[in-house]
């Protein structure tokens, strides 16, 4: 049973989300604002945070930003339908996923379950638990990445994306392919992939502007180029 924190200042939205997640078998806790969310993560602990962006006081983006300073707990943002910039900024500061309002509670539960499966070690058993590519080591069991002997600070979704690429070197994947294989979405905003690729390059490439590992395949998508 996963412990999920739901943060929203709208009591109706919060009640619906909490009910659906509890019916899905999760241990759900609530917070009504950003300060309460940060306090709950520190004191109660959580396996995943469902976080509204538009809240008074400390908004969801700032909560996500502060969490990423000391925690890799997965974050799913709830954003307004037209707020594309909020979605992009959220992904850039480390959110793992987002769902736009108005949203389907069932879709939200599916997104939450998909992330929890991946972060709890539900990976492909046919892929080696440790992937080595030159000075890059991806330990799938420990969900740990080291580069040149130093630990790389990746979010949960960044780790999933890197592990997928490292397990499938030399193969070009479209953004739709990656949404399905890494995110578990049958449809979605391809900018999600673009933002995560950019963030991943910043963490594993010597020069993110001239990548040698995670290459763009024009007209297709991306390919992982082995270094060993």
């Amino acid at each position: 049973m996963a412990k999920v924190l739901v943060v929203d200042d709208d009591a109706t939205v919060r009640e619906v989300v909490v009910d659906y997640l509890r019916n899905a078998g999760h241990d759900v806790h609530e917070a009504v604002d950003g300060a309460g969310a940060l306090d709950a993560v520190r004191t109660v602990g959580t396996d995943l945070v469902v976080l509204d962006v538009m809240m008074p006081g400390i908004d969801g983006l700032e909560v996500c930003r502060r969490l990423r300073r000391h925690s890799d707990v997965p974050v799913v943002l709830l954003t307004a339908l037209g707020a594309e910039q909020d979605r992009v900024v959220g992904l850039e500061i480390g959110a793992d996923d987002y769902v736009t309002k108005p949203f389907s509670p069932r879709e939200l539960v599916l997104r939450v379950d998909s992330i929890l499966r991946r972060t709890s070690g539900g990976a492909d058993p046919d892929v080696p638990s440790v992937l080595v590519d030159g000075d890059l080591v991806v330990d799938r069991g420990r969900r740990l990445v080291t580069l040149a002997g130093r630990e790389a600070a990746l979010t949960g979704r960044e780790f999933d994306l890197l592990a997928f690429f490292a397990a499938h070197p030399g193969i070009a994947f479209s953004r739709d392919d990656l949404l399905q294989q890494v995110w578990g979405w049958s449809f979605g905003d391809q900018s999600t992939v673009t933002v995560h690729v950019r963030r991943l390059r910043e963490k594993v490439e010597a020069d993110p502007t001239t990548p040698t590992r995670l290459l763009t395949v024009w007209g297709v998508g991306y390919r992982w180029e082995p270094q060993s």
Side-chain angles (χ1 to χ4, degrees):
M1 179 184 295
K3 188 177 292 184
V4 179
L5 175 66
V6 176
V7 189
D8 200 308
D9 63 319
D10 186 320
T12 301
V13 172
R14 198 170 62 249
E15 180 179 357
V16 170
V17 173
V18 168
D19 285 347
Y20 269 82
L21 288 169
R22 282 181 176 156
N23 288 337
H26 299 299
D27 177 15
V28 186
H29 298 259
E30 303 175 52
V32 301
D33 54 27
L38 294 169
D39 183 62
V41 171
R42 285 193 300 266
T43 60
V44 178
T46 182
D47 298 308
L48 183 143
V49 180
V50 177
L51 180 62
D52 184 35
V53 170
M54 297 298 295
M55 294 186 295
I58 306 173
D59 66 19
L61 295 178
E62 179 60 22
V63 171
C64 185
R65 189 177 289 109
R66 294 188 188 185
L67 287 176
R68 284 294 167 260
R69 294 173 186 167
H70 58 78
S71 171
D72 61 356
V73 60
V75 173
V76 178
L77 294 178
L78 299 180
T79 72
L81 181 59
E84 179 179 358
Q85 185 58 33
D86 284 346
R87 299 197 297 273
V88 172
V89 170
L91 294 171
E92 287 180 338
I93 64 177
D96 296 83
D97 201 350
Y98 65 84
V99 175
T100 56
K101 294 182 177 181
F103 61 88
S104 161
R106 290 185 178 182
E107 178 189 356
L108 175 59
V109 171
L110 290 174
R111 298 284 183 94
V112 167
D113 287 345
S114 174
I115 293 173
L116 289 170
R117 280 195 302 272
R118 293 180 183 279
T119 56
S120 64
D124 186 347
D126 294 329
V127 177
S129 60
V130 178
L131 301 165
V132 180
D133 183 5
D135 60 354
L136 180 72
V137 179
V138 181
D139 188 327
R140 296 167 65 247
R142 298 168 63 198
R143 293 188 66 83
L144 177 68
V145 174
T146 58
L147 181 62
R150 295 185 177 181
E151 182 175 349
L154 272 60
T155 67
R157 190 64 79 183
E158 290 165 0
F159 179 91
D160 295 337
L161 184 60
L162 174 59
F164 180 80
F165 274 124
H168 301 87
I171 302 174
F173 293 97
S174 69
R175 291 172 179 82
D176 278 339
D177 291 335
L178 295 168
L179 282 174
Q180 293 180 34
Q181 296 293 329
V182 179
W183 276 258
W185 301 359
S186 57
F187 62 91
D189 185 352
Q190 293 185 356
S191 67
T192 301
V193 177
T194 305
V195 170
H196 278 81
V197 166
R198 181 169 67 246
R199 286 179 53 84
L200 191 53
R201 282 173 170 163
E202 291 172 353
K203 296 180 179 183
V204 303
E205 296 282 4
D207 180 359
T209 63
T210 311
T212 60
R213 297 181 187 269
L214 184 44
L215 306 181
T216 297
V217 181
W218 297 109
V220 179
Y222 304 101
R223 182 183 77 246
W224 185 262
E225 191 65 26
Q227 302 296 293
S228 53

